[in-house]
Amino acid sequence: MSGSSPAERLSEVRDAIGKAARLAKRSPEEVTLIAVSKTHPAEAIIPQLEAGHRHFGENRVQEAEAKWPALRERYRDVTLHLIGRLQSNKAEEAVALFDCIHSVDRASLVNALARATEKTGRSPDCLIQVNIGEEPQKGGCPVAELPALLELGRDVGLAVTGLMCIPPADVEAAPFFALLAKLARRHSLPALSMGMSADFETAVTIGATHVRVGTALFGERG
Ligand SMILES: *Cc1c(COP(=O)(O)O)cnc(C)c1O
């Protein structure tokens, strides 16, 4: 991913997604590229917006609140994805700002999001983050607790559309992506958010519908 301009990097990543999709006999249109703009200022984001990109990911509510309302005045059709850990006391702000929340991982947060949805009248798509490598230090719902969390999500009326994972670092990601895909099929969930700069092509061949790519589009984070 060596393209020098933001637009070149964008088209390189899109091409790579297209190749991986065709390898797996999938249509590239099934894959949404989320440009992860966390830590990057508006000046770094605008070239991607000017190049026509519209899906962006942030990992912190406060940072997103500082950057995106102004950008959205100019680029009204942006879709914002929250990909980082969410505290229950920020649920209302998150629901007000984001169109899709990828990091729903516990019952207390499901309940907080349901209350926030009722209060704001906004109902973002919600993905359950699964702790696919059973890593104690990581967020995400344990695999064994996924059925109960999905049932709670349905009971309280959240729009749960899929699953998300961050596989363990420094090992082959494919088996973890395959497990997440299997869990999504088992529960008839259409959305599968998996794959980052290092492994998004692998994720696309295994069924990702959303890839979250930061470094390959924006360069290293400071
Ligand atoms: C930062 C981040 C990404 C993007 O990672 P890159 O390696 O920079 O592409 C994707 N997903 C999550 C949850 C992140 O926090």
Side-chain angles (χ1 to χ4, degrees):
M1 301 300 152
S2 53
S4 49
S5 80
E8 279 164 0
R9 290 182 191 183
L10 189 58
S11 77
E12 282 177 1
V13 171
R14 281 189 180 146
D15 286 352
I17 289 171
K19 277 197 193 111
R22 281 188 292 278
L23 252 171
K25 308 262 188 287
R26 304 181 62 207
S27 159
E29 283 82 64
E30 292 171 33
V31 185
T32 299
L33 169 60
I34 300 171
V36 177
S37 49
K38 66 185 186 197
T39 77
H40 296 289
E43 304 84 79
I45 300 171
I46 287 168
Q48 308 274 355
L49 286 160
E50 285 296 319
H53 198 68
R54 287 298 179 266
H55 285 265
F56 290 85
E58 292 283 346
N59 70 333
R60 295 178 57 216
V61 174
Q62 243 173 335
E63 181 186 341
E65 278 178 330
K67 287 194 297 205
W68 281 98
L71 287 169
R72 270 183 161 164
E73 301 218 334
R74 267 173 78 188
Y75 306 95
R76 295 187 176 273
D77 52 348
V78 161
T79 299
L80 268 192
H81 300 258
L82 178 61
I83 61 170
R85 193 167 172 80
L86 176 58
Q87 291 171 289
S88 295
N89 64 9
K90 294 263 172 64
E92 204 176 308
E93 283 119 300
V95 164
L97 184 64
F98 289 93
D99 304 290
C100 182
I101 298 175
H102 294 232
S103 48
V104 182
D105 65 354
R106 58 200 188 276
S108 58
L109 181 57
V110 166
N111 288 320
L113 287 168
R115 284 193 300 273
T117 295
E118 205 158 295
K119 200 161 163 193
T120 59
R122 279 180 49 89
S123 183
D125 285 346
C126 290
L127 277 58
I128 305 290
Q129 181 178 350
V130 179
N131 188 346
I132 202 75
E134 308 283 347
E135 297 173 282
Q137 80 282 14
K138 255 193 198 155
C141 160
V143 172
E145 291 170 24
L146 177 62
L149 197 59
L150 285 168
E151 197 181 327
L152 176 65
R154 260 192 299 272
D155 286 349
V156 298
L158 275 198
V160 178
T161 58
L163 302 179
M164 179 273 227
C165 78
I166 307 169
D170 304 323
V171 294
E172 180 57 52
F176 298 100
F177 293 157
L179 176 56
L180 195 74
K182 185 172 129 183
L183 292 169
R185 273 196 305 277
R186 180 181 298 163
H187 294 286
S188 306
L189 294 164
L192 211 42
S193 170
M194 56 188 197
M196 318 194 338
S197 290
D199 51 23
F200 68 88
E201 289 146 296
T202 303
V204 168
T205 64
I206 299 172
T209 61
H210 295 73
V211 294
R212 312 176 307 265
V213 177
T215 309
L217 290 172
F218 292 100
E220 296 290 338
R221 287 178 289 276

